[in-house]
Amino acid sequence: VEEAARAIHDDRSIPGALPRLAALVDATPCSEVILRRAINANLRLGTPESAARLLAFGLNEAAPRPMRQEALTALRVWPEPPPLDRVDGVARRFTPVRIDGVLAPKLDQLLALADPGLKTLAIEILLAHSLQAGAGQIAAIVGDAKASGPLRAQSLRLMAREQRGDPAFTRALEGALSAGASAPLRRAALDLLLPDQPARLVTEAAVVLKS
């Protein structure tokens, strides 16, 4: 089966067989060789059905964590797939369809992911697809001291894009500029002071440089 997966997916590939390979994401446990190609086959097909399959796999706590990460990463790069294939490095061009309708109903589940790395990917998916989440939901992640710095930083960027005028964003930004904030979160906060608060940026940057 691994050899068949390689033959279907790699190099010039066998386009007509990609749907069968992509369906293996739903099958009984597969090896990493097969799963990586099955996940990538769904990205190359670029259909709502393929996106739903990847999303279900990424949210499945029983699936291997590295492969869940691959599935969610495929959804993150979905709007702009890299020019070199993520599995075999072959240059391919394809344009997946928009999948807002697939992702939007599952926002709560994406934001509820317990694994910090997967949750960071969930925020990046929201950013990549310009999806909206509630200000309170995102602010809770920004303010979670147990969450990773990169996750909190991405959450703050998401708030800035969607809820810059919301009081919750102002409070989150102030918290991110505090002395106890992690470096990734504080850097994100400094970035977000532009273009509205250039003088504040100078002041906060001076504090950082002194400390």
Side-chain angles (χ1 to χ4, degrees), residues 32-55:
E32 184 173 318
V33 168
I34 298 168
L35 265 179
R36 284 188 183 278
R37 285 163 175 79
I39 289 168
N40 206 48
N42 281 286
L43 173 62
R44 283 165 60 183
L45 289 172
T47 65
E49 294 76 18
S50 296
R53 183 180 289 127
L54 293 179
L55 182 57

Side-chain angles (χ1 to χ4, degrees), residues 107-108 111 123 126 130-138 158-159 161-163:
L107 285 187
D108 287 345
L111 293 175
I123 296 294
L126 266 64
S130 300
L131 299 173
Q132 291 191 347
Q137 288 177 303
I138 307 302
L158 182 62
M159 287 192 77
R161 193 191 66 194
E162 297 178 357
Q163 292 116 2

Side-chain angles (χ1 to χ4, degrees), residues 17-28 30 38-39 41-42 45 53:
L18 280 178
R20 293 287 297 276
L21 175 60
L24 291 182
V25 170
D26 299 329
T28 52
C30 302
I39 289 168
N42 281 286
L45 289 172
R53 183 180 289 127

Side-chain angles (χ1 to χ4, degrees), residues 156-203:
L156 185 66
R157 293 186 186 100
L158 182 62
M159 287 192 77
R161 193 191 66 194
E162 297 178 357
Q163 292 116 2
R164 188 175 277 270
D166 194 296
F169 171 71
T170 302
R171 292 192 295 271
L173 183 64
E174 290 299 326
L177 290 168
S178 66
S182 65
L185 180 59
R186 203 165 185 185
R187 282 199 298 270
L190 290 172
D191 287 341
L192 294 173
L193 289 176
L194 292 176
D196 303 328
Q197 304 181 59
R200 176 84 185 275
L201 172 59
V202 172
T203 302

Side-chain angles (χ1 to χ4, degrees), residues 6-167:
R6 288 188 175 98
I8 292 168
H9 177 283
D10 295 359
D11 303 320
R12 294 184 180 181
S13 74
I14 305 173
L18 280 178
R20 293 287 297 276
L21 175 60
L24 291 182
V25 170
D26 299 329
T28 52
C30 302
S31 71
E32 184 173 318
V33 168
I34 298 168
L35 265 179
R36 284 188 183 278
R37 285 163 175 79
I39 289 168
N40 206 48
N42 281 286
L43 173 62
R44 283 165 60 183
L45 289 172
T47 65
E49 294 76 18
S50 296
R53 183 180 289 127
L54 293 179
L55 182 57
F57 185 84
L59 293 172
N60 181 8
E61 294 183 359
R65 196 267 183 198
M67 294 298 96
R68 292 175 67 194
Q69 180 174 329
E70 282 297 308
L72 293 175
T73 300
L75 292 172
R76 177 175 60 79
V77 304
W78 190 280
E80 296 182 19
L84 299 182
D85 191 278
R86 299 187 66 251
V87 175
D88 65 8
V90 172
R92 296 189 179 93
R93 291 187 180 277
F94 52 93
T95 306
V97 301
R98 289 185 63 86
I99 53 171
D100 299 17
V102 174
L103 297 172
K106 301 291 186 178
L107 285 187
D108 287 345
Q109 287 176 255
L110 281 168
L111 293 175
L113 285 167
D115 183 284
L118 298 182
K119 198 165 191 170
T120 300
L121 271 174
I123 296 294
E124 291 174 353
I125 288 171
L126 266 64
L127 288 167
H129 292 268
S130 300
L131 299 173
Q132 291 191 347
Q137 288 177 303
I138 307 302
I141 299 173
V142 177
D144 184 357
K146 295 181 181 178
S148 69
L151 170 58
R152 296 173 72 189
Q154 284 291 65
S155 301
L156 185 66
R157 293 186 186 100
L158 182 62
M159 287 192 77
R161 193 191 66 194
E162 297 178 357
Q163 292 116 2
R164 188 175 277 270
D166 194 296

